[in-house]
Amino acid sequence: MSLVVSYRLLTPLLLFGFVQVILTKRFEVKDAAKICLLAEFSANFSLSYETTARTKATVLFSLPQDAQESPQSNCNNMTAPLLVVSFGNGHFLSMNFSRSNISYKMEELTLVFNMNDSTLFSNSSKADLFNTSRSLDIIAKLNTTYTCLSDSTVSMENVNITLSKVQWEALPPAVNFSKTKTECPADVTTSPPPTTLAPTTATPVIQNPIRGIYNLSNNNVTCFLAEMGLQINVTQMTGNKITTKVFNINPHLVNVSGNCSSDHASLQLTDNWTMLTFQFVANTTLNNFYLKGILISTSLVPSPGNRFKAENTSLHYLQTTLGKSYMCQAEQVLQVIPNVSINVLELHVQPFKVDNSKYGTAEECQMDKDDMLIPIIVGAALAGLVLIVLIAYLIGRKRSHAGYQTI
């Protein structure tokens, strides 16, 4: 069976030379007149499916502005709000919330797509419902609004959803969002404490991580190439406070190990405090590779046990054609679990088919392409403006000469 990957962008990013602005959508869940959940966010989807021609297609689309709360949404006696959003031709997004004495959390995200919708899934080989879900643990204090202006991607089976400009609050005390906020780790910045009369020691600002070179060899032949800066973010509920621990991986202090094979590769970075493992897999049928798993174990984060641990082996990041390398100069946030993420800077990686210890042709991330696209758009717009002014000048000059013709 031969599979060919094709891409369709159903929500164009450019319209007459301007970048499209993705708008947020507000939702409310009520029990009679009392609100049990407020939510506001935008969502982008990436879904892969098989066509009737036995090829692989990937479709990209956004949550439309006509999306609305489904009647299935309910407050569950004001203890476990459920938001179900319906959109398009029989598609659903649902979020399950729960509460404790001092906090609430979003604990499950579910997506349901009607594969019979030909406007989205052209020539899909399946005509039934595709259902996938992911357990989450996004915690916020009661009577605070959870906010996350940064993009946050949740990976599930054959689909990724990226939430942006997020605000939500379960069991709000009023009809609007609370002014007090619980910020997501990606939005939190470390700043020094306020100045007092007594001498104080300012909390150091976390600097960008140092870019390290992490290569692996098999029988004295280089089989894995990687260069990147790594910063780990962990958010926890400590007592009645939400704390965030941010720390960098120092390439000068780590021991590099791992293994390579034709379809699996792993890179393990270990220092005195932390062990970080990346797991890559190769799909020879689709002729690509991607980052499938991340494992973190560290003593730098408080934990009931000796070490804090986080693991996710169902990711789908950094997808690239086999024989090529993945490159991203922009900062990427790899969400491991809802409260743990890794900021990756100046990334260049090739875990398979390394030839002569050199990177293959680089496939750039979308963020780098966008950074290049905006100057091109601006330049094209300016060139068009100059052309219009020049044409107007020539037309005006021609008319001026015509006015002085001898009768």
Side-chain angles (χ1 to χ4, degrees):
M1 180 177 67
S2 175
L3 295 180
V4 180
V5 180
S6 64
Y7 291 87
R8 293 189 299 123
L9 183 62
L10 297 184
T11 305
L13 294 179
L14 297 176
L15 185 62
F16 304 114
F18 293 94
V19 178
Q20 184 188 36
V21 177
I22 299 175
L23 301 177
T24 58
K25 178 72 177 179
R26 180 183 171 111
F27 304 98
E28 296 181 357
V29 181
K30 298 180 180 180
D31 185 356
K34 187 172 179 58
I35 295 176
C36 66
L37 180 67
L38 293 171
E40 186 175 296
F41 56 86
S42 65
N44 292 320
F45 305 91
S46 170
L47 189 146
S48 299
Y49 65 97
E50 187 181 70
T51 69
T52 53
R54 301 178 72 81
T55 61
K56 196 75 171 179
T58 299
V59 61
L60 311 176
F61 57 99
S62 300
L63 186 69
Q65 280 298 295
D66 61 358
Q68 58 185 352
E69 303 92 340
S70 166
Q72 299 174 44
S73 302
N74 65 79
C75 292
N76 290 317
N77 296 320
M78 307 302 288
T79 58
L82 169 66
L83 171 64
V84 181
V85 176
S86 62
F87 60 97
N89 185 14
H91 312 299
F92 297 92
L93 177 157
S94 68
M95 297 178 174
N96 292 74
F97 291 79
S98 63
R99 65 162 292 172
S100 67
N101 291 333
I102 61 172
S103 65
Y104 65 89
K105 69 177 179 179
M106 200 268 274
E107 59 185 11
E108 186 175 37
L109 176 65
T110 302
L111 300 174
V112 179
F113 296 106
N114 175 18
M115 301 306 296
N116 197 36
D117 182 2
S118 60
T119 59
L120 281 181
F121 312 115
S122 178
N123 300 318
S124 172
S125 61
K126 296 183 179 180
D128 53 0
L129 294 178
F130 171 71
N131 189 320
T132 183
S133 62
R134 172 83 179 272
S135 296
L136 301 172
D137 194 29
I138 303 177
I139 302 174
K141 292 178 65 177
L142 283 174
N143 301 327
T144 71
T145 301
Y146 174 83
T147 63
C148 196
L149 299 179
S150 305
D151 292 351
S152 178
T153 300
V154 179
S155 298
M156 292 179 269
E157 180 186 0
N158 294 328
V159 60
N160 290 332
I161 174 174
T162 300
L163 298 173
S164 307
K165 300 179 181 178
V166 170
Q167 289 191 98
W168 61 52
E169 183 174 4
L171 309 169
V175 296
N176 290 315
F177 289 110
S178 297
K179 293 182 179 180
T180 306
K181 297 180 180 180
T182 295
E183 294 181 289
C184 67
D187 287 357
V188 174
T189 56
T190 305
S191 59
T195 303
T196 62
L197 294 177
T200 59
T201 301
T203 302
V205 176
I206 300 298
Q207 302 296 326
N208 282 343
I210 302 171
R211 191 188 197 205
I213 299 175
Y214 310 108
N215 298 339
L216 298 175
S217 298
N218 190 1
N219 296 326
N220 295 321
V221 177
T222 302
C223 59
F224 189 112
L225 298 173
E227 298 177 44
M228 53 189 162
L230 296 166
Q231 184 177 87
I232 298 176
N233 300 265
V234 180
T235 299
Q236 289 181 305
M237 180 71 76
T238 305
N240 61 349
K241 294 182 179 180
I242 295 176
T243 60
T244 299
K245 177 70 175 178
V246 181
F247 57 96
N248 297 335
I249 298 297
N250 188 335
H252 304 307
L253 301 178
V254 299
N255 176 57
V256 181
S257 61
N259 60 77
C260 309
S261 70
S262 60
D263 57 359
H264 286 79
S266 67
L267 173 68
Q268 187 173 93
L269 308 178
T270 309
D271 60 23
N272 291 334
W273 311 275
T274 302
M275 183 180 71
L276 175 61
T277 304
F278 296 96
Q279 298 174 338
F280 291 84
V281 296
N283 188 326
T284 54
T285 304
L286 298 179
N287 194 37
N288 63 30
F289 70 83
Y290 61 91
L291 175 62
K292 187 178 190 296
I294 298 177
L295 299 85
I296 301 172
S297 174
T298 181
S299 61
L300 296 176
V301 178
S303 176
N306 293 328
R307 298 176 69 86
F308 173 86
K309 296 181 180 181
E311 177 180 353
N312 191 336
T313 56
S314 59
L315 304 173
H316 201 106
Y317 294 136
L318 318 183
Q319 180 174 303
T320 308
T321 304
L322 280 173
K324 296 185 178 181
S325 60
Y326 180 91
M327 177 181 287
C328 195
Q329 294 299 314
E331 180 176 349
Q332 287 185 283
V333 178
L334 305 182
Q335 201 77 36
V336 184
I337 57 177
N339 66 314
V340 179
S341 63
I342 301 177
N343 297 342
V344 184
L345 292 83
E346 300 179 88
L347 171 63
H348 198 182
V349 63
Q350 184 172 346
F352 301 102
K353 293 190 175 182
V354 176
D355 189 17
N356 294 325
S357 302
K358 295 181 180 179
Y359 287 103
T361 304
E363 292 188 358
E364 292 184 286
C365 64
Q366 188 61 47
M367 288 178 287
D368 284 0
K369 293 178 181 178
D370 291 344
D371 287 343
M372 295 177 62
L373 185 61
I374 292 174
I376 294 173
I377 295 171
V378 173
L382 291 175
L385 182 61
V386 171
L387 182 61
I388 292 171
V389 171
L390 180 60
I391 293 173
Y393 168 75
L394 293 175
I395 293 174
R397 186 178 179 188
K398 182 176 180 181
R399 289 179 177 175
S400 176
H401 279 289
Y404 290 99
Q405 290 178 354
T406 303
I407 301 176

